[in-house]
Amino acid sequence: MPMMTAQQYEESLRALNLEVYMFGERVANVVDDPIIRPSMNAVAKTYELAHHPAYADLMTARSHLTGNRINRFTHIHQSIDDLVKKSKMGRLLGRKTGCCFQRCVGMDALNALSIITYNIDRKYETSYNQRFTQYLRSVQENDLMCDGAMTDPKGDRSLPPHQQPDPDHYLHVIEEKEDGIVVRGAKAHQTGAVNSHEVIVMPTIAMQEADREYALSFALPSDARGIVYIMGRQSCDTRKMEGGTMDQGNLRYGGHEALVVFDDVFVPWERVFMYGEHEFAGPLVEMFAAYHRQSYACKVGVGDVLIGAAQLAAENNGVAGASHIRDKLIEMNQLNETLYCGCIACATEGQKKLSGTYAVNTLLANVHKQNVTRFPYEIARLAQDIAGGLMVTLPSEKDLNAGATQKWVKKYFRTQPGVRTEDRMRILRLIENLTLGTAAVGYLTESMHGAGSPQAQRIMIGRKVNMAEKKKAAMRLCGIEEDDS
Ligand code: SF4
Ligand code: FE
């Protein structure tokens, strides 16, 4: 089964036996839970569009392992064209779902591991790349959704893993066996965790010799014994339990994050892709981060939705022609398209690595993500400006439809002839969802902290920029001699 349909994906999740907790209770039926379900719908879109002729070119690729047509989310980039299509796919899905569709993290983990396992083997004559390739083949052939699990809880941030008062604050090996290892620890903020078939674990920071037991990468089925999921809350999340068709803003899609606990979990050797090669922990983090910073093409697509909603809100209010509104919408578009430039540029300036995988340009990917930590906030501010205060003072859907209040809500929130009060309210609810509600997790906070917080990108920008070359260019033009001594 090289490519699952959305329906097959949903059924495949039903076959899993995940240990998921939310609001203090175990979730018996993860797929149909009203709070989790919209996030499953968003991932399902990545399966659905792969079968759509109009999107096949972006959503699918040919496997370099089997030659089969596969979902691009399981593909190892074989060219610049692949990298560009990845960015375009992110924008497309962001526009289709208006939220985080969660599947990029696993794709980025697979691509980073395809490079780093190869590099480890070159140095140590290990066989990680062969193991990884075997694993990749099964991910591609079964069209699996993978959670890329990087972020440890980190405990005391001033201390490296091996000096933590609680040694489990970074995920580590607690026992070596003949047939594998036993691991303990946790990964925080795991996007799409309970919608995943697989969890791919990577280290979260560069490590020293003393951190060897923490320099670890492996993959496990998401329902492996000992893996526990604790769902994160999002603002306004319980609106999804109200059963209406308006107040949640985005009626079908959403994202989720979870704390994933590894409570002494066994990993067979054939699923271990790094263990102890501490000097490769940093390069793996950097490679994954560069790919994932490119993936923030998704926010351009979500920005498209928000800009469209702001335009509609202005039209509904009868102010779309006002010059200051037009100018704000231009500003929103300029910021959003600037983000698009970044995710396309880091792809077109990509490079082939020794393993054969194409990697993005690290400097440009970091510049792109740094812009993502800022521009969506400004786009959201402008959308709220255009929407007006009603976005947060609006009565509920029930008040719009209930006998006693219906006539007042309809009368006093009516604007121009031809604009239905209900439609005006729906657009405002969508803007609320994107800038303050459940989707604000993905559009704003995740833009800030996902794929590393702003400072992480600034460090990489400082490291990757060629300052010597810039100084030389300046010196040459004003006649300063180079000092050869
Ligand atoms: Fe993908 Fe964007 Fe969600 Fe990250 S935030 S998983 S890049 S959709
Ligand atoms: Fe993310």
Side-chain angles (χ1 to χ4, degrees), residues 205-398:
I205 50 168
M207 292 187 183
Q208 321 154 12
E209 167 80 38
D211 297 319
R212 289 183 79 86
E213 76 194 60
Y214 297 88
L216 188 59
S217 177
F218 60 84
L220 280 172
S222 54
D223 59 355
R225 210 160 124 207
I227 302 185
V228 178
Y229 301 85
I230 306 168
M231 297 294 295
R233 289 214 67 172
Q234 298 176 332
S235 70
C236 308
D237 51 7
T238 47
R239 284 196 197 180
K240 294 176 192 166
M241 297 164 82
E242 292 172 6
T245 67
M246 185 190 292
D247 289 354
Q248 65 191 76
N250 185 334
L251 301 185
R252 197 166 152 70
Y253 304 109
H256 81 246
E257 272 78 28
L259 176 70
V260 183
V261 178
F262 294 77
D263 184 18
D264 298 1
V265 186
F266 175 72
V267 189
W269 286 121
E270 63 268 22
R271 281 172 162 267
V272 176
F273 309 134
M274 170 194 286
Y275 175 34
E277 296 82 6
H278 62 94
E279 72 276 33
F280 286 95
L284 178 54
V285 173
E286 275 178 25
M287 190 57 69
F288 169 80
Y291 277 129
H292 202 45
R293 287 166 193 172
Q294 173 203 15
S295 286
Y296 275 66
C298 64
K299 304 307 175 213
V300 185
V302 180
D304 288 332
V305 176
L306 185 53
I307 293 168
Q311 172 73 35
L312 285 162
E315 288 173 10
N316 290 342
N317 284 349
V319 297
S323 64
H324 74 100
I325 296 286
R326 286 212 310 265
D327 194 54
K328 282 168 188 155
L329 284 155
I330 288 169
E331 177 78 8
M332 292 165 82
N333 277 304
Q334 185 247 320
L335 291 169
N336 204 43
E337 298 303 334
T338 304
L339 294 181
Y340 188 54
C341 295
C343 64
I344 292 294
C346 70
T348 58
E349 296 277 307
Q351 270 186 349
K352 189 177 185 175
K353 295 291 179 187
L354 288 173
S355 66
T357 307
Y358 274 73
V360 288
N361 177 296
T362 308
L363 171 61
L364 297 184
N366 278 277
V367 169
H368 167 59
K369 176 65 207 336
Q370 179 82 174
N371 287 337
V372 172
T373 66
R374 300 171 180 180
F375 296 178
Y377 283 87
E378 182 61 10
I379 295 170
R381 189 185 72 77
L382 290 164
Q384 289 192 351
D385 180 348
I386 292 169
L390 188 59
M391 178 189 75
V392 290
T393 62
L394 206 55
S396 70
E397 178 178 359
K398 285 186 179 140

